[in-house]
Amino acid sequence: MQEIKQYVETHKDRFLEELFELLRFPSVSADPKYKADVLKTAEFVAEKLVEAGADAVEVCETAGYPIVYGEKIIDKNLPTVLVYGHYDVQPPEPLELWHTPPFEPTVRDGKIYARGACDDKGQFYMHIKAFELMMQTHTLACNIKFMIEGEEEVGSNNLGIFVKANKEKLKADVVLISDTSMLSMEHPSLETGLRGLAYMEVEVVGPNKDLHSGVYGGAVANPATILCQMIASLHDENNHVNIPGFYDKVIELTDEEKKALNSAPHDNEEYKKDLGIDEVWGEKGYSTLERTGTRPTLEVNGIWSGYTGEGAKTILPSKANAKISMRLVPKQSSEEIAEIFTKHFQSIAPKTVKVKVTAHHGGEPAVTPTDGIAYQAAEKAIQDSFGKKAIPTRGGGSIPIVSLFEDVLGLKTVLFGFGLDSDALHSPNEKYNIYNYYKGIETLPLFHKYFAELSK
Ligand code: BES
Ligand code: MN
Ligand code: MN
């Protein structure tokens, strides 16, 4: 531990500078205008893997953005840890809400502000620096493989193909991912589950063109009004999702599981203050932690229709659109839920409009085991590094590849995240505490050490 701390202390300025370099690449996978930048980011990650001491480093082409691979095999008889992360980031918009530009990392109050600071550049880069540290101090205890992809934020469409085609190359004993949150640095935690996702787009079409709202208004159905009514009907008065069959496969937690989940520290007042809301919202009969960790939900991500420019234009719009996503819990399948959503949404459409429903990417939910040696190794690493026992939690977000690794490679995952839910992932002013970055670099080598020990 002392040796680890010493190495981080000696190199901490460079560790930060390198992360800043990585954060300066606008690697937005969703927007084609950043294509060249995304590709440059992959090259940079590969370069840093080589510098840290990895062999067989490769920028692997896919039909989309490349996957960066690297490895260090020290002994075939030792266990192998497969580190997964993503170098792509969410779009930074709306730009006017950023206090400093999203791709000019800036430190304020001990926090790094930049798009990707926490999700996931700051987090996967900890693994590359922890690897460097283990190489330089000759303490690498396991074989290590890196797979850092560039399409996570757009659904990892090509990762499945890559994983299926490279089963031998990716052979490992466990997958290690830092792309989730901890409760806080005072209450270190490990996420033990992620929700799945079904993402839909709907279009409600009325008259064949925008109409004069005085001439036609009141006599022709307004698609924006209809869409709002349809969307409003998707929750009932208790905020349950009002789609037949939606909850059919959902397993209720046992009282014991509920108790364990709710014993995690959660400050409702702090939560509300951070978000600027006066009251929380959600499915009746469930706590906030249950709602985000264990219950399926439905959200409108975006909605648009008619005239939204300057001034007033009097029209009855021809159509209205929305993007609607559902978070799923174990046993629900994204394909099935997409199907029942489509059927339901069609069925509630009045005759006055036509409705189109299309599905975007989805992802399956995952639970990660707490009884294996990998989880134990993470617990021991946290115990050593934080001097506290890790609290198991359930994450509300989705990392679809976790279920893919299990299905294709037969591998279990440890979700070893060092972010905070309040790090503003996907929001303006995303941040990552410098403290968490260094803490991660210090803690990860302990995982490798204990995983090797417990594998014996
Ligand atoms: N790192 C997040 C997922 C996450 C965040 C899990 C916080 C747990 C806690 C990941 O980059 C992400 O944003 N995933 C997407 C899904 C994907 C299919 C676009 C998500 O959750 O919306
Ligand atoms: Mn992420
Ligand atoms: Mn993300």
Side-chain angles (χ1 to χ4, degrees), residues 154-325:
V154 289
S156 305
N157 286 337
N158 295 294
L159 191 72
I161 300 164
F162 179 81
V163 171
K164 281 175 196 143
N166 291 283
K167 283 190 197 166
E168 196 52 38
K169 188 190 188 103
L170 300 173
K171 223 170 162 185
D173 295 279
V174 69
V175 179
L176 185 61
I177 304 178
S178 296
D179 193 21
T180 52
S181 313
M182 273 200 186
L183 289 166
S184 68
M185 288 296 104
E186 293 73 46
H187 303 288
S189 58
L190 287 163
E191 285 192 13
T192 60
L194 292 160
R195 291 196 290 182
L197 184 71
Y199 201 110
M200 318 297 296
E201 184 157 342
V202 299
E203 181 167 83
V204 171
V205 184
N208 56 9
K209 53 187 166 296
D210 289 355
L211 304 175
H212 189 293
S213 64
V215 177
Y216 293 99
V220 174
N222 183 319
T225 308
I226 303 280
L227 175 62
C228 291
Q229 288 169 336
M230 290 172 76
I231 287 174
S233 79
L234 296 177
H235 287 98
D236 71 11
E237 66 280 12
N238 292 321
N239 301 328
H240 294 297
V241 176
N242 203 10
I243 299 176
F246 187 74
Y247 293 100
D248 279 3
K249 303 235 162 121
V250 176
I251 307 162
E252 287 288 336
L253 294 194
T254 62
D255 286 347
E256 214 164 280
E257 285 173 316
K258 269 194 186 195
K259 216 173 129 206
L261 185 81
N262 287 313
S263 69
H266 172 80
D267 184 338
N268 220 26
E269 293 312 309
E270 186 73 19
Y271 188 80
K272 291 192 286 190
K273 199 171 138 229
D274 183 45
L275 302 177
I277 54 170
D278 293 330
E279 207 34 84
V280 295
W281 181 93
E283 201 182 355
K284 197 175 170 186
Y286 298 92
S287 68
T288 296
L289 289 178
E290 290 169 50
R291 285 167 180 165
T292 57
T294 70
R295 298 296 294 168
T297 52
L298 180 148
E299 296 303 324
V300 176
N301 299 261
I303 178 165
W304 66 102
S305 177
Y307 183 70
T308 56
E310 290 279 318
K313 183 186 183 198
T314 47
I315 54 153
L316 187 165
S318 156
K319 57 183 188 161
N321 303 68
K323 292 183 194 273
I324 299 174
S325 67

Side-chain angles (χ1 to χ4, degrees), residues 86 118-120 152-153 179-180 398-399 425-426:
H86 62 94
C118 175
D119 185 11
D120 179 39
E152 197 276 342
E153 298 292 9
D179 193 21
T180 52
S398 307
I399 310 180
L425 321 180
H426 298 197

Side-chain angles (χ1 to χ4, degrees), residues 34 41 78 82 89 101 103 136 208 232 237 243 279 301 312 340 345 363 415 426:
Y34 295 104
T41 316
L78 286 173
L82 174 60
V89 299
F103 299 108
Q136 292 303 319
N208 56 9
E237 66 280 12
I243 299 176
E279 207 34 84
N301 299 261
I340 69 164
F345 208 73
L415 297 166
H426 298 197

Side-chain angles (χ1 to χ4, degrees), residues 28 34 92 116 129 135 146 172 186 193 219 221 249 280 304 322 329 401:
V28 180
Y34 295 104
K129 292 302 97 179
M135 289 296 289
F146 288 91
E186 293 73 46
K249 303 235 162 121
V280 295
W304 66 102
V329 297
I401 42 79

